[in-house]
């Protein structure tokens, strides 16, 4: 495991364990993240097979697996008890890093998915184009043609993309919204829609709000990508 991955896991475990005292920024944003998933789902015919990569508590997607006929699988590096993930009746949780070995070892991760979701998990943390391309082909390889990949990542609404770091040390790529329609995304996916949400400097959904005197807003982009 690289030092960056190690740092990231430590930051997540601490955030989930200290949830009551210090709610993690992405949990405070669960309602709008769920709405974005609902919008993506409206573009598909039911029933659906859903893969949530870096599912966390599952709050934004696991409800889909409560509906008859649907299937949900959530993957996260952190264990189920620490996350507090509620596994739906038509679904399962797999602990591990979403990589080729994990996929090889879990037959249900290999079946084609109608909807794949990465809300603030992996794409947002990949700062190198080659790593992003590898990841996109791993996800694309799990999806049926016409299926939707819903990606939520940090972004810079105007200006050039850049690499940055969150206050707890997590590496982040700040994408320009147009990036989602360009390589390496466009090799496998057609961009259907992008929504940008900006959180004020003092919003609990802004991870920089935990820094005393913060005056920095943060923006996230939600891209709906259709598998070619
Ligand atoms: C910012 S949280 C978001 C959780 C959830 N998607 C949501 O929107 O509420 C990111 C999650 O991704 C998980 N994660 C990060 N890298 C991962 C990887 N390589 N494989 C599986 N899960 C990962 C983390 O453990 C964490 O739970």
């Amino acid at each position: 495991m690289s030092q960056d991955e190690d740092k990231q896991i430590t930051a997540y475990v601490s955030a989930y364990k200290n949830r009551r005292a210090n709610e993690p920024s992405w949990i405070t944003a669960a309602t709008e993240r769920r709405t974005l998933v609902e919008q993506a789902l409206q573009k598909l015919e039911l029933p659906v097979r859903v893969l949530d990569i870096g599912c966390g508590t599952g709050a934004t997607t696991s409800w889909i697996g409560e509906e008859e006929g649907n299937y949900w699988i959530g993957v996260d590096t952190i264990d189920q008890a620490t996350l507090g993930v509620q596994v739906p009746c038509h679904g399962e949780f797999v602990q591990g890093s979403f990589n080729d070995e994990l996929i090889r070892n879990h037959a249900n991760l290999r079946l084609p998915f109608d909807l794949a979701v990465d809300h603030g998990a992996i794409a947002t943390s990949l700062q190198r184009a080659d790593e992003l391309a590898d990841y996109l082909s791993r996800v694309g390889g799990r999806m049926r043609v016409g299926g939707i990949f819903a990606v939520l990542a940090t972004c810079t609404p105007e200006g050039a993309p850049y690499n940055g770091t969150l206050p707890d040390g997590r590496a982040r790529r700040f994408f320009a919204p147009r990036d989602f329609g360009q390589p390496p995304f466009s090799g496998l996916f057609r961009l259907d829609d992008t929504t940008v949400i900006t959180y004020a400097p003092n919003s609990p959904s802004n991870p920089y709000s935990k820094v005393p005197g913060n005056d920095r807003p943060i923006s996230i982009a939600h891209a709906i990508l259709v598998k070619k």
Side-chain angles (χ1 to χ4, degrees):
M1 191 182 299
S2 74
Q3 233 181 349
D4 270 359
E5 284 168 324
D6 208 25
K7 212 189 292 175
Q8 172 156 290
I9 291 177
T10 306
Y12 280 125
V13 169
S14 158
Y16 286 115
K17 286 200 166 151
N18 294 316
R19 192 170 339 193
R20 278 201 196 89
N22 198 0
E23 190 95 275
S25 53
W26 63 92
I27 290 181
T28 67
T31 306
E32 57 261 38
R33 288 188 181 200
R34 178 177 165 147
T35 303
L36 293 166
V37 171
E38 284 167 355
Q39 287 165 358
L41 198 59
Q42 278 167 11
K43 296 175 185 283
L44 292 167
E45 270 179 41
L46 298 178
V48 282
R49 295 179 44 81
V50 182
L51 166 66
D52 188 341
I53 304 161
C55 62
T57 63
T60 61
T61 59
S62 65
W63 55 276
I64 301 171
E66 299 292 353
E67 313 277 323
E68 198 58 45
N70 291 343
Y71 170 78
W72 178 91
I73 186 163
V75 179
D76 205 291
T77 7
I78 313 292
D79 66 278
Q80 189 173 340
T82 303
L83 292 171
V85 58
Q86 300 291 326
V87 179
C89 51
H90 306 291
E92 62 188 291
F93 171 78
V94 175
Q95 187 190 355
S97 184
F98 183 73
N99 56 29
D100 291 337
E101 193 189 346
L102 194 81
I103 293 165
R104 252 197 319 276
N105 290 334
H106 291 271
N108 286 345
L109 285 175
R110 291 197 296 274
L111 297 170
F113 290 94
D114 304 292
L115 176 63
V117 176
D118 172 345
H119 270 195
I122 299 184
T124 194
S125 72
L126 298 177
Q127 299 188 323
R128 283 183 16 212
D130 60 334
E131 288 177 342
L132 181 62
D134 274 1
Y135 172 61
L136 293 175
S137 67
R138 187 170 300 125
V139 178
R142 314 271 70 75
M143 294 180 60
R144 70 159 173 84
V145 172
I148 287 180
F149 182 28
V151 182
L152 185 144
T154 42
C155 91
T156 172
E158 287 140 23
Y162 64 95
N163 292 333
T165 310
L166 297 181
D168 60 12
R170 282 177 290 154
R172 284 292 174 264
R173 178 73 176 165
F174 287 78
F175 292 94
R178 64 174 178 281
D179 289 346
F180 299 101
Q182 291 176 0
F185 292 96
S186 58
L188 288 138
F189 302 99
R190 171 179 65 75
L191 177 60
D192 180 77
D193 186 40
T194 312
T195 305
V196 175
I197 301 176
T198 299
Y199 294 105
N202 63 353
S203 164
S205 302
N206 178 346
Y208 295 105
S209 67
K210 297 189 167 76
V211 178
N214 175 56
D215 61 358
R216 179 182 173 155
I218 196 167
S219 296
I220 53 102
H222 190 248
I224 305 283
L225 302 162
V226 180
K227 171 80 191 307
K228 288 182 180 171

